[in-house]
Amino acid sequence: MKGLAQTLVLSGLIEADDMAAIMASTDEGNDLRQRIISAHLATDVQIAQAVARETGHAYVDLASAGLTAEVIAAVPAALCRRYQLIPIALGRRRLTVGMVDPTDLIAIDDVTTATDLNIRPVVVAADALAAAFTRHLRSDEELSDLSEQIGENAASDFAASGTESLEDTVDEAPVVRFVNLLITQAIDDRASDIHIEPGERRLTVRYRIDGVLHEMQKADRSIQDGVISRLKIMASIDIAERRRPQDGRLSVVHEGRPVDLRVATLPTVWGEKIVMRILDNAGQALEMSDLRFSSINEQRFRTAITRPHGMVLVTGPTGSGKSTTLYTALSTVANEQINVITVEDPVEYRIPGINQVQVNPRAGLTFQAALRSILRSDPDVVLVGEIRDKETATISIEAALTGHLVLSTLHTNDAPSALTRLTEIGCEPFLVGTALTAVVAQRLARRLCVTCREPYTESAERLASVGFAHDPHDLPELYRAVGCTDCSGTGFRGRVGLHEVMTLSEGLEQLVVARRTGTEMRQLALAEGMVPLREDGFAKVAQGITTIEEVLRVAV
């Protein structure tokens, strides 16, 4: 192929003067294609289509090409990455290969030798190729190969570094490459947690993706000490201490952006289990609309968080998205005119313009001590990471009663249970009823993959048995999971929140003061218009966002 610049000018996509200016720019950190895109002169698709016209090759849209694992396996992954190509279709003795540069004869010759097939090159867009690499050219094989190379004492003396680049350690020791690949693959797979679990004979690696654990790797137990030591060093954890749980944090650079991981160790009978929570700041710039509240729930929640004082609680089990909801609320209310301070354990996401305090019990900075200091710092909005005990709850309630907006989380099954939980840990009922403004209970259900979901009509008996509101004479069209390459065959991609929002009314306050049961409080809240979790979930099922089975899995 002629030079890319000449090809794009001859095709008429870019004017010669504009190309000359791009060529003369001093942006040495990016190649020509990236500079063209940054200057908004063309997109990757337009560049690929121009190359196809000038070289006489076909252009293929990878998003609709129907890539399969069997065809992609025809060419070794290392060869695909080296020459920026991917197999698309396999016919009788002929392999169609998508390439950024279809005239690269060396690449075509090497692929021909490796496959013993006739190669038909077609043009694909560079960004689509990168996305295909992420979905299809996984690191599993390399992880297996590396696990065989690592001996029992593979990593005793690795030097620690503050922030590590995951892409720059290809030539490092096998254990370093193994750990980096584990983290890289987890981030690419959109995992929220990495579980490294020692066993009697095998070391198991599992990723939590969309709330469900998936086994990704089983390696010989001989690599266990090296992998765990490497991770403890990266997280600044004492590698000599193996008898008690420890916590740490590490930062890595993945595809040019920083990603933080919260690391926790737990001694087990077969060695130390490590769980890493991936805190990807790239996914945290959320708007209220991203939380997918129903209109009535969003209105209630917005009203509660925009009040000048009071307490708003978000409840739910671990991993139900409570922190994301609170951070989104903070982003909604924070501005230059108010002082926002948080006290968290740990600080999961750093937010510009907000004062965030990390709890440090060893130094005497507990939730209680931090809260007392915060209230002397003239805050308007206070976020308490979690209410765990009477003292923290009492200080938070007093702050809400003295002109502060307090946001926090609590572990309860539903919204009304938060009222009984606070009184149960020792808070005065009349203070709880007065201070609380609203309680949000939430769960996360897996979201259907929009690429492969298929419509169907559920039976009236099934809908009735689960309490799904419907007209027996006009059954709704629902969607179910199928599975495709976009969702790694699961049928789901991402998660959606299910919510119930309870606002404190005078009637509920009276029930709290009278120490009535949670069941009575729930009945009153429902009578006053609270939409329960399951009903909110079924509304999202009707919209084609998730499935009945998912709602039943996560909602009571």
Side-chain angles (χ1 to χ4, degrees):
M1 186 176 73
K2 312 179 187 73
L4 180 60
Q6 186 178 358
T7 298
L8 297 180
V9 171
L10 289 175
S11 69
L13 180 63
I14 299 176
E15 295 293 334
D17 292 344
D18 291 334
M19 183 60 74
I22 290 291
M23 298 285 287
S25 68
T26 58
D27 186 4
E28 297 179 357
N30 291 323
D31 61 21
L32 178 60
R33 183 187 62 82
Q34 291 172 321
R35 280 183 277 170
I36 290 170
I37 293 170
S38 298
H40 304 292
L41 294 178
T43 65
D44 273 310
V45 171
Q46 290 173 326
I47 291 173
Q49 290 172 339
V51 169
R53 285 195 301 270
E54 287 300 303
T55 60
H57 292 85
Y59 165 76
V60 173
D61 178 8
L62 282 180
S64 58
L67 302 179
T68 63
E70 293 76 16
V71 173
I72 291 172
V75 178
L79 214 58
C80 292
R81 293 187 184 276
R82 184 189 311 161
Y83 292 123
Q84 290 294 288
L85 55 85
I86 193 165
I88 294 176
L90 180 61
R92 183 175 299 176
R93 303 297 304 160
R94 188 171 79 165
L95 180 67
T96 300
V97 176
M99 306 176 67
V100 173
D101 179 4
T103 63
D104 186 343
L105 297 179
I106 295 176
I108 294 172
D109 187 51
D110 281 1
V111 173
T112 301
T113 302
T115 62
D116 195 25
L117 296 169
N118 296 318
I119 304 302
R120 173 184 173 247
V122 295
V123 184
V124 297
D127 58 347
L129 183 64
F133 281 175
T134 299
R135 286 199 303 271
H136 302 288
L137 297 187
R138 298 173 52 84
S139 306
D140 299 13
E141 283 187 25
E142 189 173 357
L143 284 170
S144 299
D145 293 341
L146 284 169
S147 68
E148 296 175 2
Q149 299 176 29
I150 304 172
E152 288 187 6
N153 302 311
S156 305
D157 304 308
F158 291 118
S161 61
T163 301
E164 307 209 6
S165 172
L166 296 177
E167 286 84 13
D168 296 339
T169 53
V170 178
D171 299 323
E172 295 282 359
V175 71
V176 178
R177 180 66 177 154
F178 183 89
V179 168
N180 286 353
L181 280 174
L182 283 182
I183 298 173
T184 300
Q185 192 64 65
I187 297 172
D188 287 340
D189 285 356
R190 303 172 294 104
S192 60
D193 301 86
I194 306 171
H195 290 242
I196 298 174
E197 302 167 332
E200 183 178 7
R201 295 183 178 85
R202 309 288 285 176
L203 181 72
T204 303
V205 178
R206 297 195 291 172
Y207 294 164
R208 186 178 294 279
I209 302 172
D210 295 335
V212 177
L213 281 170
H214 300 267
E215 185 176 297
M216 309 305 295
Q217 185 73 22
K218 271 191 177 294
D220 192 85
R221 194 173 185 275
S222 62
I223 78 168
Q224 175 180 319
D225 292 341
V227 170
I228 291 175
S229 294
R230 171 63 181 167
L231 284 169
K232 291 172 76 172
I233 289 172
M234 292 173 71
S236 300
I237 292 175
D238 183 1
I239 64 170
E241 179 56 73
R242 301 183 179 184
R243 298 167 298 174
R244 62 181 178 85
Q246 298 185 79
D247 296 312
R249 190 182 185 109
L250 63 94
S251 296
V252 298
V253 176
H254 177 64
E255 295 181 352
R257 74 176 192 275
V259 178
D260 293 338
L261 293 94
R262 192 178 76 202
V263 182
T265 70
L266 181 69
T268 71
V269 292
W270 300 117
E272 288 179 283
K273 171 186 170 77
I274 289 185
V275 177
M276 293 184 282
R277 167 67 59 88
I278 299 173
L279 309 172
D280 191 349
N281 290 285
Q284 289 305 307
L286 294 180
E287 301 289 339
M288 189 68 74
S289 59
D290 296 323
L291 298 180
R292 297 306 294 261
F293 278 107
S294 66
S295 57
I296 185 172
N297 282 343
E298 181 173 343
Q299 180 183 352
R300 289 183 168 197
F301 187 58
R302 280 187 182 274
T303 300
I305 65 174
T306 52
R307 289 184 56 173
H309 56 80
M311 175 184 280
V312 178
L313 293 178
V314 181
T315 75
T318 301
S320 60
K322 299 187 297 295
S323 296
T324 299
T325 298
L326 286 182
Y327 283 129
T328 305
L330 276 186
S331 301
T332 302
V333 302
N335 57 60
E336 296 178 356
Q337 284 75 45
I338 64 173
N339 180 21
V340 181
I341 305 179
T342 76
V343 51
E344 305 169 68
D345 183 23
V347 175
E348 294 192 4
Y349 303 104
R350 272 79 168 185
I351 305 176
I354 291 177
N355 307 285
Q356 296 176 275
V357 178
Q358 167 72 57
V359 168
N360 186 356
R362 292 181 182 176
L365 187 61
T366 60
F367 271 109
Q368 302 94 307
L371 267 174
R372 291 193 195 95
S373 299
I374 285 172
L375 295 178
R376 292 193 292 269
S377 300
D378 187 32
D380 296 291
V381 180
V382 178
L383 185 150
V384 182
E386 182 181 349
I387 292 178
R388 302 174 180 173
D389 52 55
K390 176 183 176 180
E391 192 170 359
T392 304
T394 301
I395 298 173
S396 300
I397 287 173
E398 290 173 352
L401 291 171
T402 54
H404 306 88
L405 174 63
V406 179
L407 308 175
S408 189
T409 68
L410 197 64
H411 284 279
T412 65
N413 288 329
D414 60 8
S417 298
L419 301 173
T420 55
R421 174 66 179 148
L422 288 174
T423 56
E424 186 182 89
I425 63 177
C427 297
E428 291 293 341
F430 68 92
L431 293 179
V432 172
T434 306
L436 264 180
T437 302
V439 182
V440 180
Q442 74 175 54
R443 301 290 189 276
L444 291 177
R446 289 184 292 174
R447 186 192 295 260
L448 280 167
C449 174
V450 295
T451 303
C452 64
R453 66 178 184 175
E454 69 175 17
Y456 78 107
T457 302
E458 187 61 87
S459 68
E461 293 77 12
R462 165 70 168 161
L463 295 177
S465 69
V466 299
F468 191 107
H470 64 286
D471 180 354
H473 304 293
D474 184 18
L475 295 176
E477 182 180 73
L478 307 180
Y479 288 85
R480 58 187 166 203
V482 177
C484 67
T485 55
D486 281 355
C487 57
S488 301
T490 64
F492 298 94
R493 184 172 176 84
R495 290 187 287 178
V496 64
L498 314 182
H499 310 91
E500 65 180 25
V501 182
M502 181 186 74
T503 54
L504 267 290
S505 65
E506 186 176 337
L508 282 169
E509 287 184 33
Q510 292 173 355
L511 291 182
V512 176
V513 173
R515 294 182 181 271
R516 306 302 286 269
T517 66
T519 301
E520 291 176 283
M521 295 179 192
R522 182 170 183 82
Q523 289 172 347
L524 180 57
L526 291 172
E528 292 178 346
M530 182 184 79
V531 179
L533 277 170
R534 183 175 288 191
E535 188 174 321
D536 186 61
F538 286 157
K540 292 179 169 67
V541 171
Q543 296 169 29
I545 298 173
T546 187
T547 66
I548 291 177
E549 291 73 21
E550 271 300 293
V551 173
L552 297 177
R553 182 178 68 87
V554 301
V556 294

